[in-house]
Amino acid sequence: MTDFMLSRRALLAGTALGLVAAATPAAARERRSQGKKRSMAAAPEAVKGNQIAYPRLVEVGPGETFDLVAEPATHAFLPGKPVPVLGYGGGYMGPAIRLKRGTTAELRLVNRLDRPTNVHWHGLLVEGEFDGGTHPGVAPGADWRARLRVDQPAATLWYHAHVHGQTTRDIHDGLAGLLLVDDASTAALGLPSTWGVDDLALVLQDRDFDATGRPVRPPLAATLGHGFRGATVIVNGTAEALAKVPTRPVRLRLLNASGARTFRLYFEDQRTFRLIGTDGGLLPEPIDLTYLPLSAGERAEILVDFAEGASPLMTGPDEHEHRSGATVTTLPDVLTQPVRVIVFDAQKDSHPAATPWATAKGPAQVPLPTALADLKRRRFELRVIETGPGDAFAAAAMPTAGATDHAAMHHGGHGAAAHEEMGHAPASPGSMAHSAHDAAGPAPRLEINGRAFAPGRIDERVAIGATEIWEIVSPEMAHPFHLHGAHFRVLSEDGGRPKLWNVGAKDTVLVENSAEILVTFARRAGEDAPYLYHCHLLEHEDGGMMGTFTVS
Ligand code: C2O
Ligand code: CU
Ligand code: CU
């Protein structure tokens, strides 16, 4: 068996936070043998579930152009229930596009949809003109070429549509996919790397389905407060997901591509797994965990050892807090108890067991600047401001209640909510019938530093090459804060040390109350195509919790 060598740093930090349950390998062994005794008593059960498919892996070499075709498709989330979806290249979502560090690849977005679309490379460090985030949208039938000069460490990134006011719906419909960066030094680490065998991409989302198997969601205006959370977890577009795994260490690339849910991940048998990478790439030192939260937009790479059998990956309920003055309301999740995200069927294969545990080290972290106090600071206050009676807000957070279209119209001047739901809903494969919603009150205002997103307005100007400290503040609730065009390092959370899983290179971080991040801006973005910072809770993003910045 593989013993987990806990690094001293991870052990100390983990114990301090009470996060690593198996503090010693002996404890882990003990727990596992107990698990074995239990399972020996019961008759061996076949693992039931729906085998997931992995996205097609597409390598785009230097000088090559790959066509990313946004188009309608048919897909069955539930067995035997095919429904209309959107995606890139004929299925739900798109291929996993692999780019090599040190090369320049061209990706061409081809729009075969009946509405404008664009694409943003989330986590890829490219100039503003190719970042796609503020691209107004490629007209139906037209295309857009992005020249991507890849120069960053190996990482699991993603791409998705980013038309303002439509992102919630577009990602729900399927306009998203994985983007991988490879580099030579990572290839030498001997990590599990056979796509679909021991290197498994798992895109996690949550959905509600109607009787025909169509994913449905309430109108945007009804979910602006806390976002929509679905009662069914899907992995790579499959409900009750199952993956075959070999009985050896496997690398899971996890992406949270849901709109609002924070997945609260752990294995059913509480086994220890090894966090080897976060948004921006591999960690300098892997970290052993038994629990990992993953908020909307975040990625994590973990190693899990199936040598002694499989255990399902679980998520706990995502209850969320709303703070209003002295009143703190805990809003329940539609999931009231832990559910299985995916079950694994572990089978022996002939491949020799690699032992990547100790060697899964990424590049060393750049040392912190010595004079942090001298750095330029900016502060971003992310606000959810109630516009009506207090408890209307809580009601609006529940999936079965919310603002009516009538309410949405009255408050349609705010953000693009009304625009989306009234103007385009019929074209969407998954909009829920609006009649299901009772009047509960007006939608909240979503702002950063007192204003909602305005296309064309530049909110911040950063000097190229600058290193700054950005302080993110979340008075009402936790927000997954995301930045285009740069990666960052979390310096502090809520005034204390960063959480274990937030110590690596990041582009998205769940800010529960406040966080300080250290950002170096190395790519340029001009006024005509600025970068964005925003909440990655998609309803908040669409509702206006977003700003622009130039780097020049
Ligand atoms: Cu994943 Cu601005 O986005
Ligand atoms: Cu992004
Ligand atoms: Cu938010």
Side-chain angles (χ1 to χ4, degrees):
M1 69 169 281
T2 309
D3 263 342
F4 301 97
M5 300 306 293
L6 286 170
S7 78
R8 187 176 151 72
R9 196 172 119 265
L11 184 57
L12 290 174
T15 309
L17 292 169
L19 294 166
V20 178
T24 64
R29 262 197 303 275
E30 165 71 7
R31 217 165 6 83
R32 274 186 233 158
S33 65
Q34 284 172 359
K36 233 189 252 169
K37 270 176 223 147
R38 268 202 305 277
S39 55
M40 260 153 45
E45 265 179 70
V47 189
K48 285 199 205 80
N50 304 315
Q51 173 65 48
I52 60 167
Y54 298 99
R56 184 166 65 98
L57 187 60
V58 171
E59 316 228 2
V60 187
E64 285 176 14
T65 299
F66 177 72
D67 279 357
L68 200 55
V69 182
E71 59 190 336
T74 298
H75 173 80
F77 296 93
L78 309 176
K81 296 192 166 177
V83 295
V85 295
L86 302 182
Y88 301 97
Y92 177 66
M93 300 196 291
I97 299 173
R98 179 136 74 183
L99 306 174
K100 271 213 155 46
R101 183 176 195 173
T103 67
T104 298
E106 186 175 80
L107 298 186
R108 187 170 75 113
L109 173 68
V110 179
N111 186 2
R112 293 202 187 126
L113 305 173
D114 58 5
R115 62 201 199 214
T117 192
N118 63 9
V119 64
H120 162 60
W121 324 103
H122 179 134
L124 193 71
L125 305 177
V126 291
E127 290 67 30
E129 61 176 312
F130 300 128
D131 172 81
T134 45
H135 190 289
V138 176
D143 67 358
W144 177 67
R145 288 167 192 271
R147 274 175 59 78
L148 307 177
R149 184 171 60 83
V150 183
D151 186 16
Q152 65 188 79
T156 300
L157 317 174
W158 62 307
Y159 57 90
H160 59 80
H162 211 303
V163 175
H164 182 55
Q166 303 185 15
T167 305
T168 308
R169 179 198 55 184
D170 284 349
I171 294 181
H172 186 266
D173 288 348
L175 294 177
L178 283 163
L179 184 66
L180 312 178
V181 172
D182 259 4
D183 67 17
S185 61
T186 310
L189 292 177
L191 288 169
S193 56
T194 310
W195 190 251
V197 175
D198 60 11
D199 181 353
L200 306 183
L202 305 181
V203 181
L204 314 185
Q205 296 176 307
D206 58 342
R207 294 289 182 266
D208 279 348
F209 293 100
D210 70 10
T212 70
R214 258 166 66 118
V216 289
R217 61 178 182 87
L220 182 62
T223 50
L224 279 176
H226 286 251
F228 158 77
R229 283 171 184 75
T232 302
V233 174
I234 58 172
V235 178
N236 298 357
T238 297
E240 289 178 42
L242 175 146
K244 289 199 167 58
V245 291
T247 50
R248 51 191 171 87
V250 169
R251 174 190 198 169
L252 304 182
R253 300 177 191 254
L254 304 167
L255 159 66
N256 182 348
S258 64
R261 172 176 302 282
T262 295
F263 285 96
R264 302 186 177 278
L265 302 170
Y266 63 95
F267 287 89
E268 197 174 58
D269 68 356
Q270 303 278 333
R271 67 179 55 190
T272 302
F273 55 89
R274 175 157 278 198
L275 179 69
I276 60 168
T278 53
D279 301 336
L282 294 178
L283 298 170
E285 289 287 340
I287 296 169
D288 289 334
L289 299 171
T290 55
Y291 166 68
L292 174 68
L294 200 65
S295 69
E298 285 186 299
R299 289 86 61 212
E301 291 192 37
I302 65 171
L303 288 178
V304 53
D305 193 354
F306 292 109
E308 295 192 3
S311 177
L313 181 65
M314 310 288 294
T315 186
D318 181 31
E319 289 174 353
H320 30 291
E321 228 174 49
H322 182 78
R323 306 177 285 262
S324 175
T327 314
V328 180
T329 317
T330 300
L331 299 159
D333 187 4
V334 284
L335 300 178
T336 54
Q337 54 189 28
V339 296
R340 292 176 165 189
V341 172
I342 185 168
V343 298
F344 297 99
D345 184 3
Q347 306 281 348
K348 272 206 169 47
D349 68 359
S350 56
H351 197 281
T355 49
W357 298 95
T359 58
K361 287 185 186 175
Q365 222 157 11
V366 181
L368 287 178
T370 43
L372 283 175
D374 297 342
L375 295 177
K376 180 170 174 61
R377 296 179 69 96
R378 295 177 206 251
R379 188 170 192 274
F380 298 88
E381 206 178 60
L382 279 51
R383 298 297 311 270
V384 181
I385 298 164
E386 291 163 49
T387 54
D391 49 8
F393 188 87
M398 298 302 296
T400 48
T404 58
D405 292 328
H406 185 66
M409 276 187 265
H410 277 283
H411 299 270
H414 167 61
H419 166 73
E420 183 214 333
E421 298 299 337
M422 296 189 298
H424 297 276
S428 176
S431 275
M432 192 182 271
H434 293 186
S435 57
H437 297 274
D438 299 323
R445 292 205 326 268
L446 302 165
E447 299 178 342
I448 299 181
N449 291 347
R451 44 193 195 179
F453 175 72
R457 185 187 69 210
I458 304 297
D459 295 302
E460 304 289 333
R461 293 165 202 277
V462 176
I464 181 79
T467 297
E468 302 188 354
I469 295 175
W470 283 21
E471 183 186 4
I472 322 301
V473 188
S474 305
E476 285 83 19
M477 59 177 284
H479 301 281
F481 183 80
H482 169 57
L483 192 65
H484 292 211
H487 291 163
F488 56 79
R489 177 160 166 189
V490 180
L491 291 176
S492 75
E493 289 182 72
D494 304 344
R497 62 200 296 173
K499 299 191 176 80
L500 270 182
W501 45 83
N502 286 337
V503 300
K506 299 285 294 166
D507 58 50
T508 307
V509 64
L510 185 65
V511 180
E512 312 244 16
N513 295 282
S514 68
E516 287 177 305
I517 62 175
L518 182 74
V519 203
T520 298
F521 299 88
R523 300 302 168 102
R524 288 173 195 275
E527 308 226 343
D528 44 348
Y531 291 133
L532 295 167
Y533 52 84
H534 58 88
C535 177
H536 218 288
L537 196 157
L538 297 178
E539 288 88 346
H540 286 182
E541 173 182 338
D542 277 339
M545 195 180 282
M546 179 155 81
T548 64
F549 67 103
T550 58
V551 180
S552 60

